[in-house]
Amino acid sequence: MLKKITNPCNLYVILWLFGYIQNIYFDSSLLSMVFYIPSTLMTMYYVKEVILNCRTTGVMKVMLCFFLFLCVYGVGLLLYNDAVGQDPKSFLMMLFSSLGPIFPFYVFTKQGYLTEYKLKIYFFAFFIVAIMEYFAFEQKALMLLELNSPYDEITNNTTYYFAALFPFVFFFNKKPVFQYLLIACILGFVLSGMKRGAMLISSLLLIWFMIRTMKNASTKQRFFLLLILLLFVFVSVHFVENFYDTSDYFQKRMEDTVEGKSSGRDRIYSTYWNHYITNDNTLQFFFGEGAYHTENILHYKAHNDWLELLIDCGLCGAFLYLIYWYSFFRLWRRSDDNPIYHSIIGACLLFSFIRTFFSMSFSDMPFSMTSLLGYVFGVYLNRQTK
Protein backbone atom coordinates (compact mmCIF):
# COMPACT_ATOMS: atom_id res chain seq x y z
CA MET A 1 0.00 0.00 0.00
CA LEU A 2 2.78 2.44 0.99
CA LYS A 3 4.66 1.58 -2.20
CA LYS A 4 1.63 2.54 -4.29
CA ILE A 5 1.22 5.87 -2.50
CA THR A 6 4.93 6.74 -2.73
CA ASN A 7 4.90 5.97 -6.45
CA PRO A 8 5.61 9.51 -7.78
CA CYS A 9 2.82 9.31 -10.37
CA ASN A 10 0.21 8.25 -7.79
CA LEU A 11 1.46 10.88 -5.35
CA TYR A 12 1.26 13.60 -8.00
CA VAL A 13 -2.32 12.68 -8.94
CA ILE A 14 -3.37 12.47 -5.27
CA LEU A 15 -1.97 15.94 -4.56
CA TRP A 16 -3.82 17.46 -7.51
CA LEU A 17 -7.11 15.70 -6.81
CA PHE A 18 -7.11 16.60 -3.13
CA GLY A 19 -6.27 20.16 -4.14
CA TYR A 20 -9.39 20.23 -6.31
CA ILE A 21 -11.52 18.69 -3.58
CA GLN A 22 -10.42 21.19 -0.94
CA ASN A 23 -11.22 24.05 -3.34
CA ILE A 24 -14.72 22.62 -3.76
CA TYR A 25 -15.61 22.06 -0.11
CA PHE A 26 -13.21 24.05 2.07
CA ASP A 27 -11.67 26.84 -0.05
CA SER A 28 -8.98 27.33 2.56
CA SER A 29 -5.90 29.23 1.42
CA LEU A 30 -3.74 27.43 3.99
CA LEU A 31 -5.04 23.98 3.04
CA SER A 32 -4.71 24.90 -0.63
CA MET A 33 -1.00 25.61 -0.14
CA VAL A 34 -0.55 22.19 1.47
CA PHE A 35 -1.46 20.55 -1.85
CA TYR A 36 -0.52 23.28 -4.34
CA ILE A 37 3.09 23.88 -3.25
CA PRO A 38 4.33 20.24 -3.38
CA SER A 39 2.46 19.52 -6.63
CA THR A 40 3.91 22.66 -8.23
CA LEU A 41 7.41 21.81 -7.00
CA MET A 42 7.01 18.35 -8.54
CA THR A 43 5.91 19.94 -11.80
CA MET A 44 8.96 22.24 -11.79
CA TYR A 45 11.26 19.32 -11.05
CA TYR A 46 9.93 17.26 -13.95
CA VAL A 47 10.06 20.22 -16.32
CA LYS A 48 13.74 20.39 -15.40
CA GLU A 49 14.06 16.64 -16.01
CA VAL A 50 12.55 16.98 -19.48
CA ILE A 51 14.95 19.83 -20.31
CA LEU A 52 18.12 18.18 -19.01
CA ASN A 53 17.62 14.42 -19.13
CA CYS A 54 15.00 13.65 -21.77
CA ARG A 55 15.68 13.60 -25.47
CA THR A 56 12.50 15.26 -26.69
CA THR A 57 11.37 15.19 -30.31
CA GLY A 58 8.34 16.21 -32.33
CA VAL A 59 5.32 17.60 -30.55
CA MET A 60 6.89 17.30 -27.08
CA LYS A 61 9.87 19.39 -28.12
CA VAL A 62 7.59 22.09 -29.52
CA MET A 63 5.42 21.95 -26.40
CA LEU A 64 8.50 22.47 -24.23
CA CYS A 65 9.61 25.46 -26.33
CA PHE A 66 6.12 26.96 -26.21
CA PHE A 67 5.90 26.45 -22.43
CA LEU A 68 9.30 28.06 -21.78
CA PHE A 69 8.46 30.88 -24.20
CA LEU A 70 5.32 31.66 -22.18
CA CYS A 71 7.27 31.38 -18.92
CA VAL A 72 9.40 34.34 -20.06
CA TYR A 73 6.21 36.41 -20.30
CA GLY A 74 5.13 35.15 -16.89
CA VAL A 75 8.41 36.35 -15.40
CA GLY A 76 7.84 39.69 -17.15
CA LEU A 77 4.45 40.06 -15.45
CA LEU A 78 6.02 39.06 -12.13
CA LEU A 79 8.66 41.79 -12.48
CA TYR A 80 6.60 44.64 -13.94
CA ASN A 81 3.03 43.86 -12.76
CA ASP A 82 1.60 45.76 -15.74
CA ALA A 83 -1.67 43.84 -16.38
CA VAL A 84 -4.79 45.49 -14.98
CA GLY A 85 -6.40 43.58 -12.14
CA GLN A 86 -4.03 40.62 -12.36
CA ASP A 87 -1.90 39.15 -9.61
CA PRO A 88 1.73 39.28 -10.83
CA LYS A 89 2.09 35.56 -10.04
CA SER A 90 -1.08 34.59 -11.90
CA PHE A 91 0.38 33.89 -15.36
CA LEU A 92 3.10 31.57 -14.08
CA MET A 93 0.63 29.85 -11.76
CA MET A 94 -1.71 29.35 -14.72
CA LEU A 95 1.07 27.82 -16.83
CA PHE A 96 2.17 25.35 -14.17
CA SER A 97 -1.44 24.37 -13.46
CA SER A 98 -2.59 24.07 -17.07
CA LEU A 99 0.25 22.93 -19.36
CA GLY A 100 2.77 22.10 -16.63
CA PRO A 101 1.37 18.66 -15.63
CA ILE A 102 2.00 17.33 -19.15
CA PHE A 103 5.73 17.15 -18.37
CA PRO A 104 5.54 15.01 -15.19
CA PHE A 105 3.13 12.61 -16.90
CA TYR A 106 5.48 12.43 -19.89
CA VAL A 107 8.39 11.47 -17.61
CA PHE A 108 6.23 9.04 -15.60
CA THR A 109 5.35 7.27 -18.86
CA LYS A 110 8.97 7.00 -19.93
CA GLN A 111 9.90 5.66 -16.48
CA GLY A 112 7.07 3.10 -16.48
CA TYR A 113 5.10 4.67 -13.61
CA LEU A 114 2.17 5.68 -15.84
CA THR A 115 0.52 2.88 -17.81
CA GLU A 116 -2.75 2.31 -19.62
CA TYR A 117 -4.03 0.34 -16.64
CA LYS A 118 -3.33 3.25 -14.28
CA LEU A 119 -4.99 5.73 -16.61
CA LYS A 120 -8.14 3.63 -16.46
CA ILE A 121 -8.06 3.85 -12.68
CA TYR A 122 -7.35 7.58 -12.75
CA PHE A 123 -10.28 8.02 -15.14
CA PHE A 124 -12.79 7.06 -12.45
CA ALA A 125 -11.13 9.37 -9.94
CA PHE A 126 -11.26 12.22 -12.48
CA PHE A 127 -14.92 11.43 -13.17
CA ILE A 128 -15.86 11.55 -9.48
CA VAL A 129 -14.05 14.87 -8.95
CA ALA A 130 -15.70 16.30 -12.09
CA ILE A 131 -19.13 15.36 -10.69
CA MET A 132 -18.25 17.00 -7.38
CA GLU A 133 -17.15 20.18 -9.17
CA TYR A 134 -20.26 20.18 -11.32
CA PHE A 135 -22.69 20.16 -8.38
CA ALA A 136 -20.58 22.58 -6.34
CA PHE A 137 -20.57 25.07 -9.23
CA GLU A 138 -24.29 24.54 -9.75
CA GLN A 139 -25.07 25.26 -6.12
CA LYS A 140 -22.90 28.39 -5.91
CA ALA A 141 -24.15 29.80 -9.22
CA LEU A 142 -27.82 29.29 -8.39
CA MET A 143 -27.32 31.14 -5.12
CA LEU A 144 -25.96 34.14 -7.04
CA LEU A 145 -28.83 34.31 -9.53
CA GLU A 146 -30.88 37.47 -9.31
CA LEU A 147 -34.20 37.04 -7.57
CA ASN A 148 -36.06 38.41 -10.59
CA SER A 149 -34.37 36.04 -13.03
CA PRO A 150 -36.96 34.16 -15.13
CA TYR A 151 -34.74 31.06 -15.11
CA ASP A 152 -33.82 28.68 -12.34
CA GLU A 153 -30.95 27.11 -14.33
CA ILE A 154 -27.45 28.26 -15.20
CA THR A 155 -24.61 27.60 -17.64
CA ASN A 156 -22.20 25.27 -15.87
CA ASN A 157 -18.59 25.92 -16.94
CA THR A 158 -17.34 22.66 -15.43
CA THR A 159 -18.85 20.65 -18.31
CA TYR A 160 -15.54 20.95 -20.19
CA TYR A 161 -14.10 18.59 -17.56
CA PHE A 162 -16.58 15.93 -18.68
CA ALA A 163 -15.84 16.51 -22.37
CA ALA A 164 -12.13 16.09 -21.56
CA LEU A 165 -12.89 12.59 -20.23
CA PHE A 166 -14.36 11.44 -23.54
CA PRO A 167 -11.01 10.24 -25.03
CA PHE A 168 -10.56 7.84 -22.09
CA VAL A 169 -13.63 5.92 -23.28
CA PHE A 170 -11.58 4.37 -26.11
CA PHE A 171 -9.55 2.45 -23.50
CA PHE A 172 -12.66 0.38 -22.72
CA ASN A 173 -13.06 -0.89 -26.29
CA LYS A 174 -13.40 -4.52 -25.14
CA LYS A 175 -16.53 -3.61 -23.15
CA PRO A 176 -18.77 -1.83 -25.68
CA VAL A 177 -21.87 -1.72 -23.45
CA PHE A 178 -19.82 -0.15 -20.67
CA GLN A 179 -18.40 2.32 -23.21
CA TYR A 180 -21.87 3.50 -24.18
CA LEU A 181 -22.88 3.86 -20.55
CA LEU A 182 -19.84 6.06 -19.93
CA ILE A 183 -20.62 8.14 -23.00
CA ALA A 184 -24.24 8.52 -21.90
CA CYS A 185 -23.08 9.77 -18.47
CA ILE A 186 -20.60 12.22 -20.00
CA LEU A 187 -23.12 13.59 -22.50
CA GLY A 188 -25.78 13.80 -19.81
CA PHE A 189 -23.64 16.13 -17.69
CA VAL A 190 -22.48 18.14 -20.72
CA LEU A 191 -26.04 18.64 -21.93
CA SER A 192 -27.41 19.55 -18.51
CA GLY A 193 -24.58 22.07 -18.07
CA MET A 194 -25.78 23.94 -21.19
CA LYS A 195 -22.31 25.20 -22.11
CA ARG A 196 -22.51 25.50 -25.90
CA GLY A 197 -18.80 25.06 -26.51
CA ALA A 198 -18.70 21.87 -24.46
CA MET A 199 -21.82 20.58 -26.26
CA LEU A 200 -20.25 21.25 -29.68
CA ILE A 201 -17.00 19.52 -28.77
CA SER A 202 -18.81 16.55 -27.21
CA SER A 203 -20.96 16.18 -30.34
CA LEU A 204 -17.86 16.11 -32.52
CA LEU A 205 -16.21 13.60 -30.19
CA LEU A 206 -19.30 11.40 -30.39
CA ILE A 207 -19.15 11.46 -34.20
CA TRP A 208 -15.43 10.63 -34.02
CA PHE A 209 -16.20 7.74 -31.66
CA MET A 210 -18.84 6.34 -34.03
CA ILE A 211 -16.51 6.58 -37.03
CA ARG A 212 -13.60 4.91 -35.26
CA THR A 213 -15.74 2.21 -33.63
CA MET A 214 -17.29 1.16 -36.93
CA LYS A 215 -13.93 1.22 -38.72
CA ASN A 216 -12.14 -0.91 -36.12
CA ALA A 217 -14.92 -3.50 -35.82
CA SER A 218 -15.12 -6.79 -37.74
CA THR A 219 -18.04 -7.47 -40.10
CA LYS A 220 -19.96 -9.44 -37.45
CA GLN A 221 -19.25 -6.86 -34.78
CA ARG A 222 -20.42 -4.01 -37.02
CA PHE A 223 -23.96 -5.33 -37.17
CA PHE A 224 -24.13 -5.59 -33.37
CA LEU A 225 -22.50 -2.17 -32.91
CA LEU A 226 -24.87 -0.63 -35.43
CA LEU A 227 -27.84 -1.83 -33.40
CA ILE A 228 -26.33 -0.39 -30.22
CA LEU A 229 -25.56 2.89 -31.98
CA LEU A 230 -29.11 3.18 -33.32
CA LEU A 231 -30.51 2.47 -29.86
CA PHE A 232 -28.11 4.97 -28.33
CA VAL A 233 -29.02 7.68 -30.87
CA PHE A 234 -32.74 7.02 -30.39
CA VAL A 235 -32.49 7.35 -26.59
CA SER A 236 -30.27 10.45 -26.91
CA VAL A 237 -32.68 12.21 -29.28
CA HIS A 238 -35.59 11.40 -27.01
CA PHE A 239 -33.65 12.73 -24.00
CA VAL A 240 -32.73 15.98 -25.81
CA GLU A 241 -36.32 16.53 -26.97
CA ASN A 242 -37.64 15.98 -23.46
CA PHE A 243 -34.96 18.25 -21.99
CA TYR A 244 -35.78 20.97 -24.53
CA ASP A 245 -39.51 20.78 -23.76
CA THR A 246 -39.01 21.00 -19.99
CA SER A 247 -36.18 23.57 -19.75
CA ASP A 248 -36.87 27.21 -20.65
CA TYR A 249 -33.21 28.09 -20.20
CA PHE A 250 -32.08 25.33 -22.56
CA GLN A 251 -34.57 26.60 -25.14
CA LYS A 252 -33.11 30.09 -24.79
CA ARG A 253 -29.55 28.83 -25.20
CA MET A 254 -30.48 26.94 -28.36
CA GLU A 255 -32.43 29.87 -29.77
CA ASP A 256 -29.48 32.20 -29.09
CA THR A 257 -27.22 29.78 -30.95
CA VAL A 258 -29.54 29.63 -33.98
CA GLU A 259 -29.80 33.43 -34.04
CA GLY A 260 -26.02 33.78 -33.91
CA LYS A 261 -25.84 35.29 -30.42
CA SER A 262 -22.41 34.50 -29.01
CA SER A 263 -22.51 36.01 -25.51
CA GLY A 264 -20.69 39.12 -26.73
CA ARG A 265 -17.78 37.13 -28.16
CA ASP A 266 -18.11 38.74 -31.61
CA ARG A 267 -17.56 42.21 -30.09
CA ILE A 268 -14.62 40.96 -28.00
CA TYR A 269 -13.00 39.25 -31.00
CA SER A 270 -13.38 42.24 -33.33
CA THR A 271 -12.03 44.65 -30.68
CA TYR A 272 -8.92 42.58 -30.02
CA TRP A 273 -8.27 41.88 -33.69
CA ASN A 274 -8.60 45.57 -34.61
CA HIS A 275 -6.33 46.48 -31.70
CA TYR A 276 -3.65 44.11 -32.95
CA ILE A 277 -3.69 45.05 -36.66
CA THR A 278 -3.77 48.80 -35.93
CA ASN A 279 -0.84 48.65 -33.49
CA ASP A 280 2.06 50.51 -35.11
CA ASN A 281 4.63 49.24 -32.64
CA THR A 282 6.76 46.72 -34.59
CA LEU A 283 8.18 45.11 -31.45
CA GLN A 284 4.69 44.53 -30.05
CA PHE A 285 3.48 43.23 -33.42
CA PHE A 286 6.06 40.44 -33.33
CA PHE A 287 6.47 39.85 -29.57
CA GLY A 288 3.26 41.17 -28.04
CA GLU A 289 2.51 43.55 -25.21
CA GLY A 290 3.01 41.16 -22.31
CA ALA A 291 1.18 38.53 -20.30
CA TYR A 292 -2.55 39.17 -19.78
CA HIS A 293 -2.44 42.50 -21.63
CA THR A 294 -5.86 41.76 -23.10
CA GLU A 295 -7.06 42.81 -19.64
CA ASN A 296 -5.69 46.30 -20.32
CA ILE A 297 -7.97 46.67 -23.35
CA LEU A 298 -11.42 45.36 -22.35
CA HIS A 299 -10.75 43.96 -18.87
CA TYR A 300 -11.59 40.55 -20.39
CA LYS A 301 -9.46 37.72 -21.62
CA ALA A 302 -9.94 37.03 -25.33
CA HIS A 303 -11.70 33.64 -24.99
CA ASN A 304 -9.73 32.72 -28.09
CA ASP A 305 -6.19 31.38 -27.86
CA TRP A 306 -5.04 32.93 -31.13
CA LEU A 307 -6.18 36.46 -30.28
CA GLU A 308 -4.88 36.13 -26.73
CA LEU A 309 -1.46 35.11 -28.03
CA LEU A 310 -1.37 37.83 -30.70
CA ILE A 311 -2.02 40.54 -28.09
CA ASP A 312 0.16 39.10 -25.32
CA CYS A 313 2.98 37.37 -27.23
CA GLY A 314 2.69 38.76 -30.76
CA LEU A 315 3.09 36.96 -34.06
CA CYS A 316 5.96 34.85 -32.68
CA GLY A 317 3.76 33.39 -29.94
CA ALA A 318 0.90 32.58 -32.32
CA PHE A 319 3.32 31.06 -34.86
CA LEU A 320 4.95 28.83 -32.24
CA TYR A 321 1.47 27.72 -31.17
CA LEU A 322 0.64 26.88 -34.79
CA ILE A 323 3.80 24.75 -35.03
CA TYR A 324 2.68 22.87 -31.91
CA TRP A 325 -0.67 21.99 -33.50
CA TYR A 326 1.04 20.93 -36.71
CA SER A 327 3.35 18.64 -34.71
CA PHE A 328 0.37 17.26 -32.81
CA PHE A 329 -1.41 16.56 -36.10
CA ARG A 330 1.68 14.74 -37.45
CA LEU A 331 1.80 12.58 -34.30
CA TRP A 332 -1.83 11.63 -34.86
CA ARG A 333 -1.15 10.71 -38.51
CA ARG A 334 1.79 8.51 -37.49
CA SER A 335 -0.16 6.68 -34.77
CA ASP A 336 -2.38 4.76 -37.21
CA ASP A 337 -0.41 1.57 -36.51
CA ASN A 338 -2.49 1.23 -33.33
CA PRO A 339 -6.23 1.83 -33.87
CA ILE A 340 -7.00 2.52 -30.21
CA TYR A 341 -4.22 5.05 -29.70
CA HIS A 342 -4.97 6.61 -33.07
CA SER A 343 -8.53 7.15 -31.83
CA ILE A 344 -7.40 8.53 -28.47
CA ILE A 345 -4.84 10.95 -29.94
CA GLY A 346 -7.41 12.07 -32.50
CA ALA A 347 -9.95 12.73 -29.73
CA CYS A 348 -7.38 14.68 -27.68
CA LEU A 349 -6.43 16.72 -30.74
CA LEU A 350 -10.09 17.43 -31.51
CA PHE A 351 -10.94 18.49 -27.96
CA SER A 352 -7.89 20.72 -27.51
CA PHE A 353 -7.74 22.33 -30.96
CA ILE A 354 -11.44 23.16 -31.42
CA ARG A 355 -11.43 24.78 -28.01
CA THR A 356 -8.76 27.30 -29.07
CA PHE A 357 -11.33 29.21 -31.16
CA PHE A 358 -14.00 29.98 -28.54
CA SER A 359 -12.50 29.18 -25.16
CA MET A 360 -9.05 29.05 -23.60
CA SER A 361 -7.25 25.81 -24.37
CA PHE A 362 -3.63 26.36 -23.36
CA SER A 363 -4.53 28.34 -20.22
CA ASP A 364 -7.29 26.05 -18.94
CA MET A 365 -6.27 22.50 -19.80
CA PRO A 366 -8.17 19.98 -17.64
CA PHE A 367 -5.86 17.92 -15.44
CA SER A 368 -7.32 14.68 -16.84
CA MET A 369 -6.40 15.78 -20.36
CA THR A 370 -2.80 16.59 -19.35
CA SER A 371 -2.40 13.05 -17.98
CA LEU A 372 -3.56 11.61 -21.28
CA LEU A 373 -1.42 13.94 -23.39
CA GLY A 374 1.67 13.21 -21.29
CA TYR A 375 1.00 9.49 -21.68
CA VAL A 376 0.43 9.37 -25.45
CA PHE A 377 3.35 11.75 -26.08
CA GLY A 378 5.56 9.51 -23.95
CA VAL A 379 4.40 6.27 -25.61
CA TYR A 380 4.84 7.41 -29.20
CA LEU A 381 7.84 9.68 -28.86
CA ASN A 382 9.65 6.88 -26.99
CA ARG A 383 9.49 4.85 -30.20
CA GLN A 384 11.14 7.63 -32.19
CA THR A 385 14.09 8.01 -29.79
CA LYS A 386 14.94 4.31 -29.51
Side-chain angles (χ1 to χ4, degrees):
M1 180 66 180
L2 182 62
K3 185 177 180 181
K4 290 182 178 180
I5 296 177
T6 54
N7 175 313
C9 186
N10 291 342
L11 180 62
Y12 189 66
V13 171
I14 289 171
L15 286 171
W16 273 103
L17 292 183
F18 274 93
Y20 281 123
I21 292 171
Q22 84 80 27
N23 283 332
I24 296 170
Y25 293 108
F26 305 105
D27 199 19
S28 164
S29 56
L30 179 61
L31 194 57
S32 177
M33 290 297 102
V34 171
F35 299 111
Y36 180 77
I37 291 175
S39 61
T40 303
L41 289 175
M42 287 185 72
T43 302
M44 295 173 68
Y45 172 79
Y46 285 107
V47 169
K48 185 267 295 182
E49 283 292 298
V50 171
I51 295 172
L52 298 180
N53 299 321
C54 293
R55 183 186 168 193
T56 57
T57 60
V59 64
M60 196 63 198
K61 189 171 186 177
V62 182
M63 166 58 76
L64 179 61
C65 292
F66 180 65
F67 179 81
L68 295 177
F69 179 81
L70 292 180
C71 282
V72 173
Y73 286 81
V75 172
L77 179 62
L78 190 65
L79 294 176
Y80 297 103
N81 190 20
D82 54 354
V84 174
Q86 294 296 312
D87 186 304
K89 304 185 298 295
S90 59
F91 196 80
L92 284 173
M93 291 174 67
M94 173 277 292
L95 285 176
F96 280 92
S97 298
S98 180
L99 297 180
I102 294 174
F103 300 99
F105 285 121
Y106 174 74
V107 176
F108 294 148
T109 302
K110 291 175 71 71
Q111 294 176 342
Y113 291 120
L114 182 59
T115 62
E116 180 181 322
Y117 174 75
K118 280 197 175 177
L119 275 174
K120 290 180 180 179
I121 296 175
Y122 293 159
F123 165 79
F124 294 103
F126 296 149
F127 208 137
I128 292 170
V129 173
I131 293 172
M132 294 164 67
E133 289 192 292
Y134 176 90
F135 286 110
F137 185 95
E138 191 97 354
Q139 185 177 17
K140 290 178 181 178
L142 288 174
M143 290 173 61
L144 296 174
L145 280 176
E146 296 179 359
L147 293 176
N148 61 348
S149 173
Y151 307 107
D152 59 357
E153 299 166 290
I154 49 95
T155 301
N156 196 315
N157 294 327
T158 65
T159 50
Y160 278 116
Y161 299 144
F162 291 97
L165 293 172
F166 206 114
F168 286 83
V169 171
F170 288 100
F171 281 129
F172 302 96
N173 62 303
K174 294 182 179 179
K175 300 178 180 179
V177 176
F178 185 61
Q179 271 188 320
Y180 289 111
L181 287 174
L182 290 177
I183 292 172
C185 290
I186 290 171
L187 295 181
F189 279 105
V190 170
L191 189 62
S192 62
M194 289 179 271
K195 187 72 175 176
R196 287 176 291 185
M199 286 192 286
L200 172 62
I201 290 175
S202 298
S203 299
L204 295 174
L205 287 171
L206 179 61
I207 294 171
W208 174 245
F209 173 80
M210 291 178 176
I211 292 172
R212 293 302 301 170
T213 301
M214 295 300 293
K215 185 173 182 179
N216 296 334
S218 64
T219 305
K220 292 182 179 179
Q221 289 174 329
R222 285 178 183 175
F223 178 74
F224 175 70
L225 289 172
L226 185 60
L227 290 177
I228 296 179
L229 283 172
L230 289 174
L231 178 62
F232 183 79
V233 170
F234 175 79
V235 173
S236 299
V237 170
H238 180 73
F239 177 79
V240 172
E241 286 181 343
N242 182 66
F243 193 44
Y244 183 85
D245 291 336
T246 57
S247 173
D248 293 335
Y249 188 64
F250 184 67
Q251 290 179 22
K252 180 181 181 299
R253 296 289 289 177
M254 293 300 99
E255 289 167 3
D256 287 348
T257 303
V258 172
E259 293 171 6
K261 296 179 181 179
S262 56
S263 303
R265 300 285 174 87
D266 49 351
R267 182 182 67 88
I268 295 173
Y269 295 163
S270 61
T271 300
Y272 286 141
W273 174 246
N274 290 330
H275 176 88
Y276 177 73
I277 62 175
T278 57
N279 190 344
D280 295 329
N281 188 312
T282 304
L283 190 64
Q284 290 183 355
F285 182 84
F286 285 103
F287 296 102
E289 302 175 28
Y292 285 150
H293 267 240
T294 49
E295 298 280 352
N296 295 352
I297 303 170
L298 284 179
H299 305 291
Y300 293 113
K301 294 182 176 64
H303 293 282
N304 178 297
D305 280 358
W306 305 97
L307 288 173
E308 186 78 26
L309 285 169
L310 284 173
I311 300 294
D312 294 351
C313 307
L315 189 63
C316 289
F319 183 68
L320 187 57
Y321 198 42
L322 182 64
I323 295 175
Y324 164 71
W325 289 113
Y326 173 70
S327 303
F328 200 159
F329 177 75
R330 288 189 64 193
L331 175 68
W332 170 70
R333 290 288 302 272
R334 293 177 178 179
S335 66
D336 58 359
D337 59 320
N338 186 313
I340 301 303
Y341 284 90
H342 188 66
S343 302
I344 292 171
I345 295 173
C348 292
L349 177 61
L350 185 64
F351 171 87
S352 305
F353 182 68
I354 296 296
R355 207 174 163 212
T356 65
F357 295 102
F358 49 78
S359 185
M360 304 295 287
S361 185
F362 77 84
S363 62
D364 188 26
M365 186 73 69
F367 185 69
S368 58
M369 180 58 67
T370 64
S371 69
L372 202 49
L373 290 177
Y375 176 72
V376 295
F377 289 171
V379 167
Y380 274 88
L381 297 180
N382 254 345
R383 298 180 179 184
Q384 298 177 19
T385 55
K386 285 181 179 180

